[in-house]
Each structure stands twice: as structure tokens, then as C-alpha cells.
Amino acid sequence: MRIAGTEINLQHKALEIYVSGCRSPHCKGCHNPELWSFDVGVDCDPEELAKLTNKLRELKTAKLVDYVWVLGGEPQDQPEAELITMLRELSAIAPVMLWTSYEEVKPALLPYVTYAKFGPYVEGGEPYVEPMFIIKLANKGQRIINIKEEQRG
């Protein structure tokens, strides 16, 4: 698994982690087509993962972030064992939101994911503001769900 980049989203108090790689078919009008390739960025080896977790701890201590967002590419197209390792480390520090075009989170990932944005990008769809995080999503086929609440419910 490769990390293409990170970004601090101050508006939503999230550390965004972009993974590279997305299997076909790709969403027409995708906002990150440069991340379709699985070869972009750096390997998320133990050293890189330590850098990410240290960065997250620093940002949490400084009260700049409350969440981790894992985006792509497509996070769920990554090698499962590597993604689990990363999510396990990060979710021990802050709640994780997985941004996926799929309609469910793989069962092996569920213990490490608090929120998920589901649904593919649909070009020309009617955007709307999702109420939980006040995030503008591309279309009403996309939604954010609190996975932990769903599991309890």
C-alpha cells in the first residue's frame, strides 16, 4: 500500500491520508484520477506508519484535528492486511472515517472504522450538504454513516 499524500483539513479538524490505487471501473469525473495507479507515493512501511501516527498525535495534542480521513484512490482496494495495520494504529489515536465508493465496509476493517462515506461519485449529480459533518457531497447517492452506532443499533 502506498500513501500519496496527507493534508490537514482545518475546517473539519481531520488529518486526510490519501492512498494510491483504485480498481476499474473508475467513477467518471473522479476528483483524484491521478490516484488510480497503485504506484503513486511512498510505501506505508513501518517507518512511514510511525511518521503518520506521530504526526496525528502532535496534531491531536495541538487540538488541530479530531479525526482521520482515509481517502484515495480507493482505500478498500488496498491490500487488506496493510490497510488493517494502518487503520488499527490510527484508530487508537482518533476516530477514522473511510471514504469509499463501495456500499459497505469490508468486515475485517469494521473494528477500526468509526465513520464511512459510501457511494460513488456520479458526474452531474445534485450535490447536497451531509448533516452529520456538514460536508458537501457530490450527490444524494453518497452518504456518511456512523458505523459504530449502526453496529449497536
Side-chain angles (χ1 to χ4, degrees):
M1 183 173 73
R2 299 180 69 82
I3 304 293
T6 62
E7 183 173 302
I8 301 167
N9 180 324
L10 293 175
Q11 180 182 0
H12 294 101
K13 295 188 80 173
L15 173 62
E16 298 178 357
I17 300 171
Y18 291 84
V19 296
S20 69
C22 181
R23 293 189 187 117
S24 292
H26 300 115
C27 300
K28 184 178 179 186
C30 172
H31 70 286
N32 285 334
E34 60 278 350
L35 297 182
W36 290 347
S37 169
F38 286 85
D39 298 324
V40 177
V42 298
D43 283 323
C44 189
D45 58 20
E47 183 179 323
E48 189 64 27
L49 184 54
K51 287 180 192 175
L52 278 175
T53 57
N54 288 337
K55 182 177 192 173
L56 179 57
R57 282 188 188 97
E58 289 172 13
L59 293 168
K60 285 267 302 174
T61 299
K63 300 191 184 317
L64 292 173
V65 301
D66 293 327
Y67 304 97
V68 176
W69 291 0
V70 180
L71 311 96
E74 171 56 62
Q76 293 197 98
D77 286 349
Q78 307 309 307
E80 193 169 274
E82 293 176 37
L83 184 59
I84 287 171
T85 298
M86 183 180 82
L87 293 176
R88 180 177 45 238
E89 295 295 317
L90 297 172
S91 67
I93 302 167
V96 171
M97 182 187 302
L98 192 70
W99 290 68
T100 182
S101 63
Y102 293 108
E103 294 300 326
E104 60 184 31
V105 174
K106 292 178 181 179
L109 305 178
L110 286 173
Y112 314 108
V113 176
T114 303
Y115 304 95
K117 188 288 299 174
F118 293 109
Y121 175 80
V122 177
E123 193 171 47
E126 183 181 333
Y128 81 104
V129 176
E130 177 280 328
M132 188 182 328
F133 283 91
I134 316 302
I135 296 171
K136 185 177 180 181
L137 296 177
N139 61 73
K140 293 185 178 188
Q142 296 181 324
R143 66 207 178 286
I144 295 175
I145 293 177
N146 183 326
I147 299 290
K148 303 300 183 197
E149 282 184 13
E150 288 251 327
Q151 289 175 327
R152 280 185 251 146

